[in-house]
Amino acid sequence: VVLVLCCLGLLSADQSLKPQLGDPQLATNNPTLTTVSLEKPFCMFDSSLCPNRSYTIYLYVMKESASAMSSLVTDDSNKPLGSTFQQTSGGQLGPYNAAFFDVPDCAVPPRLADVGGMNKVPDVLKQYLFRVGDDGTCLYDPNFLGVCNPPLSPDTTYRFKYVLVDNSEGMVKDQTLWSDPIKTRRGK
């Protein structure tokens, strides 16, 4: 029964789940002037995953000042919006898709004890965290066609949302709430 409900999309993530700032012990100096490190959504969507299906997590970003009316991340047919940074004026007019990545493996989360040496720390942190605002080149490359994760604006408040997309259907299967407001630092 659970398998059938799961595949029909009737089970969903706990609706109180939302993106969180990375643990200060792992993401020091977070947020910065132009970036925010968020915890990846470990185990958030487990009840929505069906065996033998492929899923992707989309990350949406929106300035807090954007209208609540424009905070939807799906179209009328429940497909994820492909709004870009440029189309939404950097999140001012609504959410933009800043990134997508595989669903983190809840059964085998990365452990800091697995680091072993200092050269492995960045790889382990990338498994735990996602850094929003980490691509300074995509906005200025005229040949860039993918999802852009450009630097955030200093002294600006943002909200973030994770969305689970079924790759075979291209449909949104589940989503978190919008994060609490997170403000980038102000320059001195």
Side-chain angles (χ1 to χ4, degrees), residues 5-96:
L5 289 174
C6 172
C7 291
L8 291 174
L10 298 176
L11 292 178
S12 61
D14 178 348
Q15 291 303 306
S16 64
L17 295 176
K18 51 189 164 184
Q20 303 287 323
L21 273 175
D23 184 317
Q25 293 178 339
L26 301 175
T28 57
N29 193 28
N30 183 33
T32 69
L33 287 171
T34 60
T35 65
V36 170
S37 292
L38 299 173
E39 292 179 2
K40 285 191 174 176
F42 279 94
C43 309
M44 280 188 179
F45 297 114
D46 283 3
S47 64
S48 299
L49 300 175
C50 295
N52 304 318
R53 300 296 288 249
S54 173
Y55 298 93
T56 301
I57 301 287
Y58 285 33
L59 172 66
Y60 285 90
V61 179
M62 178 176 70
K63 288 185 179 177
E64 185 183 36
S65 59
S67 164
M69 298 285 294
S70 63
S71 65
L72 296 177
V73 295
T74 60
D75 64 15
D76 291 338
S77 61
N78 204 34
K79 293 191 183 241
L81 293 179
S83 305
T84 66
F85 180 87
Q86 293 92 333
Q87 291 169 331
T88 64
S89 296
Q92 183 68 40
L93 304 175
Y96 65 91

Side-chain angles (χ1 to χ4, degrees), residues 91-170:
Q92 183 68 40
L93 304 175
Y96 65 91
N97 186 350
F100 60 90
F101 49 89
D102 292 333
V103 177
D105 187 355
C106 185
V108 189
R111 298 176 317 137
L112 285 180
D114 296 339
V115 170
M118 289 304 289
N119 59 341
K120 293 184 180 180
V121 171
D123 292 334
V124 172
L125 287 178
K126 281 183 185 177
Q127 292 176 47
Y128 273 116
L129 304 170
F130 183 81
R131 192 167 178 205
V132 185
D134 203 27
D135 186 356
T137 61
C138 61
L139 283 180
Y140 308 108
D141 180 353
N143 300 315
F144 187 83
L145 300 174
V147 172
C148 187
N149 181 21
L152 303 172
S153 298
D155 196 29
T156 304
T157 304
Y158 291 91
R159 289 184 180 259
F160 306 92
K161 177 185 276 264
Y162 288 125
V163 175
L164 178 70
V165 177
D166 182 317
N167 292 332
S168 60
E169 298 174 357

